[in-house]
Short mmCIF file of all heavy atoms in Angstrom, two decimals:
data_model
loop_
_atom_site.label_atom_id
_atom_site.label_comp_id
_atom_site.label_asym_id
_atom_site.label_seq_id
_atom_site.Cartn_x
_atom_site.Cartn_y
_atom_site.Cartn_z
N ALA B 1 0.80 -1.25 0.03
CA ALA B 1 0.03 0.01 -0.03
C ALA B 1 0.84 1.24 -0.02
O ALA B 1 2.07 1.27 0.44
CB ALA B 1 -0.91 -0.05 1.24
N ILE B 2 0.31 2.35 -0.50
CA ILE B 2 0.99 3.57 -0.58
C ILE B 2 -0.04 4.66 0.06
O ILE B 2 -1.24 4.75 -0.40
CB ILE B 2 1.25 4.01 -1.93
CG1 ILE B 2 2.22 3.12 -2.62
CG2 ILE B 2 1.92 5.43 -1.95
CD1 ILE B 2 2.52 3.38 -4.09
N VAL B 3 0.47 5.38 1.06
CA VAL B 3 -0.38 6.44 1.70
C VAL B 3 0.07 7.76 1.32
O VAL B 3 1.23 8.03 1.30
CB VAL B 3 -0.26 6.30 3.25
CG1 VAL B 3 -1.09 7.51 3.92
CG2 VAL B 3 -0.78 4.99 3.77
N LEU B 4 -0.80 8.60 0.75
CA LEU B 4 -0.55 9.97 0.48
C LEU B 4 -1.06 10.86 1.49
O LEU B 4 -2.20 10.68 1.97
CB LEU B 4 -1.15 10.39 -0.86
CG LEU B 4 -0.57 9.84 -2.16
CD1 LEU B 4 -1.17 8.42 -2.44
CD2 LEU B 4 -0.67 10.73 -3.37
N PHE B 5 -0.19 11.66 2.09
CA PHE B 5 -0.66 12.68 3.15
C PHE B 5 -0.64 14.12 2.55
O PHE B 5 0.35 14.68 2.33
CB PHE B 5 0.50 12.50 4.32
CG PHE B 5 0.28 13.42 5.53
CD1 PHE B 5 -1.02 14.07 5.69
CD2 PHE B 5 1.23 13.61 6.47
CE1 PHE B 5 -1.27 14.77 6.83
CE2 PHE B 5 0.99 14.40 7.52
CZ PHE B 5 -0.18 15.08 7.76
N PRO B 6 -1.86 14.52 2.28
CA PRO B 6 -2.07 15.84 1.68
C PRO B 6 -1.73 17.01 2.67
O PRO B 6 -2.34 17.00 3.71
CB PRO B 6 -3.44 15.84 1.18
CG PRO B 6 -3.98 14.55 1.30
CD PRO B 6 -3.16 13.84 2.48
N THR B 7 -0.92 17.97 2.26
CA THR B 7 -0.64 19.11 3.13
C THR B 7 -0.84 20.36 2.21
O THR B 7 -0.48 20.42 1.12
CB THR B 7 0.81 19.06 3.60
OG1 THR B 7 1.72 19.08 2.54
CG2 THR B 7 1.07 17.97 4.59
N ALA B 8 -1.52 21.32 2.87
CA ALA B 8 -1.91 22.55 2.11
C ALA B 8 -1.65 23.75 3.00
O ALA B 8 -0.71 23.88 3.84
CB ALA B 8 -3.30 22.43 1.59
N ALA B 9 -2.64 24.79 2.85
CA ALA B 9 -2.53 26.08 3.64
C ALA B 9 -3.85 26.70 3.58
O ALA B 9 -4.67 26.48 2.80
CB ALA B 9 -1.37 26.95 2.96
N THR B 10 -3.94 27.60 4.50
CA THR B 10 -5.13 28.64 4.48
C THR B 10 -4.46 29.98 4.62
O THR B 10 -3.91 30.32 5.71
CB THR B 10 -6.03 28.41 5.73
OG1 THR B 10 -6.52 27.03 5.62
CG2 THR B 10 -7.28 29.35 5.72
N GLU B 11 -4.45 30.72 3.54
CA GLU B 11 -3.73 32.05 3.48
C GLU B 11 -4.33 32.90 2.45
O GLU B 11 -4.95 32.41 1.53
CB GLU B 11 -2.24 31.70 3.14
CG GLU B 11 -2.07 31.08 1.92
CD GLU B 11 -0.65 30.70 1.41
OE1 GLU B 11 0.18 30.40 2.48
OE2 GLU B 11 -0.24 30.60 0.32
N GLN B 12 -4.04 34.18 2.50
CA GLN B 12 -4.58 35.11 1.51
C GLN B 12 -3.98 34.76 0.07
O GLN B 12 -2.86 34.30 -0.12
CB GLN B 12 -4.03 36.58 1.83
CG GLN B 12 -2.56 36.82 1.54
CD GLN B 12 -2.37 37.29 0.19
OE1 GLN B 12 -3.18 37.79 -0.55
NE2 GLN B 12 -1.06 37.01 -0.32
N HIS B 13 -5.01 34.96 -0.80
CA HIS B 13 -4.69 34.73 -2.26
C HIS B 13 -5.23 35.85 -3.03
O HIS B 13 -6.08 35.78 -4.09
CB HIS B 13 -5.34 33.36 -2.84
CG HIS B 13 -4.49 32.23 -2.51
ND1 HIS B 13 -4.22 31.63 -1.29
CD2 HIS B 13 -3.72 31.49 -3.33
CE1 HIS B 13 -3.54 30.58 -1.33
NE2 HIS B 13 -3.10 30.47 -2.63
N GLY B 14 -4.79 37.13 -2.67
CA GLY B 14 -5.21 38.34 -3.38
C GLY B 14 -6.70 38.61 -3.12
O GLY B 14 -7.35 38.02 -2.25
N PRO B 15 -7.19 39.64 -3.84
CA PRO B 15 -8.59 40.04 -3.57
C PRO B 15 -9.69 39.17 -4.21
O PRO B 15 -10.82 39.25 -3.92
CB PRO B 15 -8.65 41.48 -4.21
CG PRO B 15 -7.63 41.37 -5.27
CD PRO B 15 -6.53 40.50 -4.79
N HIS B 16 -9.26 38.24 -5.12
CA HIS B 16 -10.17 37.54 -5.91
C HIS B 16 -10.47 36.05 -5.56
O HIS B 16 -11.38 35.43 -6.04
CB HIS B 16 -9.85 37.67 -7.35
CG HIS B 16 -8.56 36.93 -7.79
ND1 HIS B 16 -7.36 37.19 -7.37
CD2 HIS B 16 -8.41 35.79 -8.56
CE1 HIS B 16 -6.42 36.48 -7.80
NE2 HIS B 16 -7.06 35.54 -8.64
N LEU B 17 -9.47 35.46 -4.79
CA LEU B 17 -9.64 34.12 -4.41
C LEU B 17 -9.78 33.90 -2.91
O LEU B 17 -9.34 34.78 -2.18
CB LEU B 17 -8.34 33.35 -4.79
CG LEU B 17 -8.12 33.17 -6.35
CD1 LEU B 17 -6.75 32.44 -6.61
CD2 LEU B 17 -9.24 32.40 -6.96
N PRO B 18 -10.46 32.80 -2.57
CA PRO B 18 -10.66 32.62 -1.10
C PRO B 18 -9.32 32.09 -0.39
O PRO B 18 -8.41 31.70 -1.12
CB PRO B 18 -11.63 31.42 -0.99
CG PRO B 18 -11.47 30.71 -2.37
CD PRO B 18 -11.05 31.81 -3.42
N VAL B 19 -9.31 32.33 0.89
CA VAL B 19 -8.09 31.94 1.65
C VAL B 19 -7.85 30.50 1.66
O VAL B 19 -6.75 29.99 1.98
CB VAL B 19 -8.14 32.51 3.08
CG1 VAL B 19 -8.12 34.01 3.07
CG2 VAL B 19 -9.24 31.98 3.90
N GLY B 20 -8.91 29.65 1.41
CA GLY B 20 -8.75 28.24 1.30
C GLY B 20 -8.22 27.68 -0.02
O GLY B 20 -8.29 26.47 -0.27
N THR B 21 -7.85 28.58 -0.89
CA THR B 21 -7.42 28.12 -2.26
C THR B 21 -6.57 26.97 -2.37
O THR B 21 -6.85 25.93 -3.04
CB THR B 21 -6.86 29.28 -3.03
OG1 THR B 21 -7.86 30.30 -3.36
CG2 THR B 21 -6.27 28.81 -4.38
N ASP B 22 -5.52 26.89 -1.66
CA ASP B 22 -4.56 25.74 -1.66
C ASP B 22 -5.13 24.43 -1.32
O ASP B 22 -5.01 23.48 -2.01
CB ASP B 22 -3.31 26.02 -0.85
CG ASP B 22 -2.33 27.03 -1.43
OD1 ASP B 22 -2.40 27.38 -2.59
OD2 ASP B 22 -1.47 27.60 -0.63
N HIS B 23 -5.92 24.50 -0.21
CA HIS B 23 -6.49 23.16 0.25
C HIS B 23 -7.69 22.83 -0.64
O HIS B 23 -8.02 21.63 -0.72
CB HIS B 23 -6.73 23.09 1.73
CG HIS B 23 -7.76 23.98 2.33
ND1 HIS B 23 -9.02 23.60 2.30
CD2 HIS B 23 -7.70 25.07 2.99
CE1 HIS B 23 -9.82 24.42 2.97
NE2 HIS B 23 -9.05 25.32 3.46
N LEU B 24 -8.46 23.77 -1.09
CA LEU B 24 -9.59 23.49 -2.00
C LEU B 24 -9.14 22.84 -3.31
O LEU B 24 -9.78 21.91 -3.79
CB LEU B 24 -10.40 24.74 -2.29
CG LEU B 24 -11.09 25.37 -1.07
CD1 LEU B 24 -11.68 26.66 -1.26
CD2 LEU B 24 -12.32 24.38 -0.62
N ILE B 25 -8.03 23.41 -3.88
CA ILE B 25 -7.50 22.78 -5.10
C ILE B 25 -7.03 21.35 -4.79
O ILE B 25 -7.29 20.39 -5.58
CB ILE B 25 -6.32 23.61 -5.73
CG1 ILE B 25 -6.89 24.94 -6.14
CG2 ILE B 25 -5.62 22.82 -6.72
CD1 ILE B 25 -5.85 25.96 -6.61
N LEU B 26 -6.30 21.24 -3.72
CA LEU B 26 -5.72 19.86 -3.36
C LEU B 26 -6.90 18.86 -3.18
O LEU B 26 -6.85 17.77 -3.56
CB LEU B 26 -4.83 19.92 -2.23
CG LEU B 26 -4.03 18.59 -1.84
CD1 LEU B 26 -3.23 18.15 -2.94
CD2 LEU B 26 -3.21 18.84 -0.57
N LYS B 27 -7.94 19.35 -2.42
CA LYS B 27 -9.18 18.54 -2.23
C LYS B 27 -9.83 18.09 -3.62
O LYS B 27 -10.17 16.93 -3.74
CB LYS B 27 -10.14 19.20 -1.32
CG LYS B 27 -11.41 18.39 -1.06
CD LYS B 27 -12.33 19.11 -0.23
CE LYS B 27 -13.63 18.23 0.13
NZ LYS B 27 -14.32 17.84 -1.09
N GLU B 28 -9.91 19.01 -4.42
CA GLU B 28 -10.55 18.68 -5.80
C GLU B 28 -9.74 17.71 -6.51
O GLU B 28 -10.29 16.76 -7.11
CB GLU B 28 -10.68 20.06 -6.60
CG GLU B 28 -11.32 19.90 -7.88
CD GLU B 28 -12.84 19.57 -7.87
OE1 GLU B 28 -13.44 19.74 -6.75
OE2 GLU B 28 -13.36 19.13 -8.92
N LEU B 29 -8.50 17.83 -6.52
CA LEU B 29 -7.55 16.77 -7.21
C LEU B 29 -7.70 15.44 -6.50
O LEU B 29 -7.87 14.42 -7.27
CB LEU B 29 -6.20 17.35 -7.23
CG LEU B 29 -5.10 16.29 -7.84
CD1 LEU B 29 -5.53 15.94 -9.29
CD2 LEU B 29 -3.74 16.89 -7.92
N THR B 30 -7.75 15.39 -5.23
CA THR B 30 -7.93 14.23 -4.48
C THR B 30 -9.19 13.60 -4.81
O THR B 30 -9.33 12.32 -5.18
CB THR B 30 -7.76 14.38 -3.05
OG1 THR B 30 -6.47 14.97 -2.68
CG2 THR B 30 -7.95 13.09 -2.20
N ASP B 31 -10.29 14.33 -4.77
CA ASP B 31 -11.57 13.87 -5.10
C ASP B 31 -11.72 13.26 -6.53
O ASP B 31 -12.14 12.17 -6.73
CB ASP B 31 -12.61 14.91 -4.91
CG ASP B 31 -12.92 15.29 -3.48
OD1 ASP B 31 -12.44 14.57 -2.63
OD2 ASP B 31 -13.46 16.35 -3.23
#
């Protein structure tokens, strides 16, 4: 078996993106 441990961030992404951008993108790719 192979375990993938996803790590991301919650941080500002300019005025147009949510602060959860990094982990929302990673979640979408995982899903």
Side-chain angles (χ1 to χ4, degrees):
I2 300 173
V3 177
L4 288 89
F5 181 13
T7 57
T10 300
E11 62 185 29
Q12 74 85 27
H13 275 75
H16 68 292
L17 291 178
V19 296
T21 289
D22 286 342
H23 71 80
L24 291 170
I25 290 172
L26 188 57
K27 179 183 182 299
E28 180 72 13
L29 176 54
T30 300
D31 289 346

